[in-house]
Amino acid sequence: MSLAPAPTTPWLLRWRGLLAGAASGPISSRFSLLAGLVLCALMAGLPLVTRGGLSLLILAAGLLWLLWALCTPAGRIGGISGWLLLMLGIAVLATGFSPVPMAAFKGLLKLISYLGVYALMRDVLARAPQWWNRIVAALLAGELVSAVMAIRQLYGDTTELARWADPNSVADGTIRVYGPLENPNLLAGYLIPILPIALVALLRWRSWPQRLFAAASLLTGSAALFLSYSRGGWLGMLAALGAVVLLLVLRQTRHWPTLWRRLFPLLLISAAVAVLVVAVTQIEPLRIRVMSLVAGRQDSSNNFRINVWLAAIEMFQDRPWLGIGPGNSAFNLIYPLYQQPKFNALSAYSVPLELLVEGGIPNLLAGLGLLAASVRAGWAQLKGESSWALPALAALAAIAGLCMQGITDTIFFRPEVQLTGWFCLATLSVSRSGQGSADA
């Protein structure tokens, strides 16, 4: 019996299924269960497990996907996966032409490991869609523990919290919680994509214990994010929750008369803006923090970011086509050649700038293509009746929140945030292909 791939199989995937004939036994028939358990452990442990522990779970996920792929035939490459493969190809080229190739190679390996997690998530959701609910439950469990730990910090010793109070900022004296993540901005970035997922879980899950669990995760997560006093986190939360509410309203009103279908979302947006304006003008801590956004260089945090952005733009201008290579190791070696005195940085503090610096113009264009493919996949579910509709809308809203925060920060590249982003992409990819049912 020949094991040669079918002519219609994309050449990039012709290695898949090579062990299909030899694979047998109880392990090969339980790949979905093993993969689901690994992913649940990974998503629940994002804020709680050490970086070494996360690395081991990520490695386990990648190896498990590789073994599973060797034992199963290939399908077609979807739009989202295609853009990710293009970004991987650009990263390989950028590594080869990098001025610091060994450091860039470390970043390339990190990217490949994350793509392994994405691939495993996609295969699990495509073959056993019920795991979406279980992975979400694990994600919410880790989020709930982290949010409670963060809120509890307000009632303990505030000495450690005080180190995040910048005396040179217009918001001097603000106490910021950070939970188990040791950084208020990282806590906010971790919570942003989870909040719309929690809201959709609250709507989708059927039993009251499940709904109470989702509601508790949503409320405590929102409170912890607010108390982080992360300006980018606040904007991301507004974008994520605003997007998911708007998408749900558009979906719920899709059968209404045309006039009301167009008018009701506008009225809802107007009411939300009015409430936000009243809150900003009447709540002093909120007003002070928001005013720091428009303080320009008078705010130390703004001033720091502006100087880093100017240095990153110079880095991009010197290598506009393939950048310096992927990863923070390459950035840390090249950035000191461009930085202004006293403005050390571990990244470009802007996801679009980071994409330009690491892989040049092609990398940014591929990133925009990935974003467009994700929006198309989510938007396609707006009027459909698929069981993947609500998960896809939650994933799209989560990506909107991450994009909003990513304009002025690169917290997204931390595994605690990025892996939730990969889960959202896997959800959108499977929803686009229309495989399976996501019901519990």
Side-chain angles (χ1 to χ4, degrees):
M1 178 181 176
S2 172
L3 295 178
T8 56
T9 303
W11 66 270
L12 280 174
L13 300 179
R14 291 189 178 183
W15 58 274
R16 292 198 60 163
L18 291 178
L19 300 181
S24 60
I27 295 180
S28 62
S29 63
R30 292 181 171 86
F31 275 126
S32 295
L33 176 60
L34 291 173
L37 291 175
V38 169
L39 291 174
C40 284
L42 177 60
M43 301 307 283
L46 284 178
L48 306 171
V49 178
T50 63
R51 281 299 172 84
L54 284 180
S55 298
L56 288 176
L57 287 171
I58 291 170
L59 178 61
L63 292 176
L64 183 58
W65 173 77
L66 181 61
L67 182 59
W68 196 3
L70 286 170
C71 298
T72 54
R76 72 180 189 88
I77 300 176
I80 290 176
S81 298
W83 284 108
L84 289 174
L85 286 174
L86 177 60
M87 295 186 76
L88 176 60
I90 293 171
V92 170
L93 286 175
T95 300
F97 289 93
S98 171
V100 284
M102 293 308 298
F105 184 68
K106 294 179 182 178
L108 179 63
L109 290 179
K110 193 177 296 184
L111 173 61
I112 291 173
S113 69
Y114 290 138
L115 288 176
V117 175
Y118 161 80
L120 185 66
M121 288 176 171
R122 192 190 184 285
D123 280 0
V124 167
L125 296 179
R127 290 176 170 83
Q130 66 272 17
W131 277 101
W132 189 88
N133 295 285
R134 299 167 186 173
I135 294 173
V136 166
L139 183 65
L140 296 187
E143 181 260 3
L144 183 59
V145 172
S146 301
V148 170
M149 292 175 64
I151 295 172
R152 278 281 301 164
Q153 288 176 322
L154 295 176
Y155 301 96
D157 183 9
T158 59
T159 304
E160 285 295 317
L161 300 181
R163 64 192 176 97
W164 291 103
D166 187 351
N168 299 314
S169 170
V170 297
D172 177 28
T174 300
I175 299 298
R176 307 175 63 188
V177 302
Y178 49 77
L181 293 172
E182 302 296 326
N183 184 322
N185 293 329
L186 179 55
L187 175 67
Y190 164 72
L191 293 171
I192 285 171
I194 300 178
L195 296 182
I197 295 175
L199 178 56
V200 164
L202 174 63
L203 298 175
R204 273 174 49 87
W205 289 347
R206 294 164 184 160
S207 71
W208 281 108
Q210 289 176 322
R211 290 183 171 180
L212 287 174
F213 171 55
S217 301
L218 175 62
L219 293 175
T220 56
S222 300
L225 198 157
F226 178 80
L227 293 171
S228 73
Y229 283 91
S230 168
R231 297 170 299 176
W234 285 357
L235 293 174
M237 179 171 65
L238 288 175
L241 291 179
V244 74
V245 170
L246 182 60
L247 289 170
L248 290 172
V249 167
L250 290 174
R251 177 173 169 78
Q252 191 66 28
T253 60
R254 64 190 187 278
H255 300 306
W256 286 16
T258 303
L259 176 62
W260 283 106
R261 190 170 67 244
R262 295 177 179 176
L263 187 60
F264 184 73
L266 294 176
L267 293 174
L268 188 65
I269 293 173
S270 300
V273 170
V275 170
L276 186 62
V277 169
V278 171
V280 170
T281 55
Q282 299 300 317
I283 302 175
E284 184 176 2
L286 183 60
R287 181 173 68 251
I288 292 173
R289 196 64 178 156
V290 170
M291 288 300 295
S292 68
L293 284 169
V294 295
R297 285 187 177 271
Q298 296 178 5
D299 183 88
S300 60
S301 180
N302 295 350
N303 188 48
F304 170 78
R305 278 171 165 75
I306 291 171
N307 283 294
V308 174
W309 292 339
L310 293 175
I313 289 172
E314 290 185 30
M315 295 169 66
F316 158 68
Q317 289 174 336
D318 285 349
R319 301 182 67 87
W321 295 110
L322 285 175
I324 64 172
N328 61 308
S329 296
F331 187 93
N332 292 339
L333 291 177
I334 301 298
Y335 176 76
L337 303 177
Y338 296 85
Q339 76 175 64
Q340 299 184 27
K342 299 181 181 180
F343 287 95
N344 298 322
L346 300 177
S347 67
Y349 282 92
S350 171
V351 170
L353 262 181
E354 189 77 22
L355 293 175
L356 284 171
V357 167
E358 291 187 1
I361 295 173
N363 200 35
L364 178 61
L365 293 177
L368 293 175
L370 175 62
L371 178 60
S374 301
V375 171
R376 284 196 301 271
W379 197 258
Q381 297 295 332
L382 194 61
K383 297 182 179 180
E385 300 298 334
S386 167
S387 61
W388 281 107
L390 292 184
L393 296 183
L396 185 58
I399 290 173
L402 290 173
C403 288
M404 176 61 73
Q405 190 194 36
I407 295 173
T408 58
D409 210 334
T410 47
I411 289 296
F412 172 77
F413 292 107
R414 303 284 285 274
E416 295 88 351
V417 182
Q418 188 173 166
L419 288 171
T420 306
W422 290 121
F423 176 63
C424 294
L425 287 177
T427 298
L428 288 168
S429 180
V430 173
S431 73
R432 184 66 168 175
S433 64
Q435 301 181 58
S437 169
D439 290 338

